[in-house]
Amino acid sequence: MPAQRIELWEHVGLGLILEWPSGVIITNQTGGTSCLAPEIEGVFIPLRNDCTAKERILVSSENELYDYFTGRKWRGTGATNGIDSEDADFIDSTIGKTKLFPTIRVNREKLSESHEAWIHVVVTGDEPCDPPLFRGFEPYPRAGILTWQNSD
C-alpha cells in the first residue's frame, strides 16, 4: 500500500476521485453518522465548486446531494447498505443539471458498494468543457468515486 495519503475530511464541495495508479491513497469520511473511511488509489479532482462573492455561500451540486441524503428517505443514516436505482437517478440528474459532466455517471453495477458521499461512478471520457478540468486519463471507461462532505 502506498504511504502517501490524502484525507478529505475537511474538503468542502463535490469532487471526483479518478481511479489511477498514482501511488496516493485518497479517503474521505462518508456514510453519514456511521463515519466510514473508504479509500482508493487515484487522483482527486474538485468539480467546479464556487461560492457567491458577497455572502460566501457554497454553490455546488454538493448542496443537493447533502440535502438528499439527510432528507426524508435516508435521514442522515448514510445509506451504508448501498443505494438503489432511485438514488442513482437522483445523483445523475443532480450532476447533469450543470451540463458540465456528461461523461460521469453512477456505476449501476456497484450500487451496493456506494453510500452517502462515496458513490461509485464510471467516467467515459475527458470532461468536454473548454477548458476541461481533467483530460488524458485514457483508456476510458475508467472507475471513479464521486465524493462530498459527509453529513455526520
Side-chain angles (χ1 to χ4, degrees), residues 106-152:
V106 174
N107 185 338
R108 304 300 171 125
E109 294 177 10
K110 292 195 171 190
L111 296 181
S112 65
E113 298 172 44
S114 296
H115 55 272
E116 180 197 3
W118 194 264
I119 304 297
H120 287 266
V121 295
V122 174
V123 180
T124 57
D126 295 341
E127 186 202 21
C129 295
D130 187 25
L133 285 177
F134 61 89
R135 65 176 164 225
F137 288 95
E138 293 90 358
Y140 292 107
R142 182 164 295 285
I145 301 291
L146 197 63
T147 192
W148 60 91
Q149 189 176 39
N150 188 42
S151 70
D152 76 328

Side-chain angles (χ1 to χ4, degrees), residues 19-105:
E19 191 171 338
W20 187 259
S22 65
V24 178
I25 294 296
I26 303 171
T27 185
N28 196 8
Q29 183 177 333
T30 66
T33 56
S34 295
C35 295
L36 305 175
E39 54 186 42
I40 190 171
E41 182 180 3
V43 294
F44 179 69
I45 305 158
L47 293 181
R48 302 211 186 263
N49 302 292
D50 204 352
C51 63
T52 59
K54 194 174 195 178
E55 302 86 4
R56 308 304 289 168
I57 296 171
L58 178 66
V59 178
S60 171
S61 296
E62 171 183 300
N63 294 330
E64 285 183 68
L65 296 170
Y66 184 96
D67 289 347
Y68 180 82
F69 281 94
T70 58
R72 68 178 172 81
K73 180 175 181 178
W74 291 110
R75 301 178 193 266
T77 61
T80 56
N81 290 325
I83 63 171
D84 59 28
S85 57
E86 176 187 12
D87 302 325
D89 290 344
F90 178 82
I91 294 163
D92 283 342
S93 171
T94 299
I95 62 173
K97 286 178 190 175
T98 63
K99 299 187 186 333
L100 296 174
F101 302 106
T103 62
I104 301 172
R105 291 289 172 254

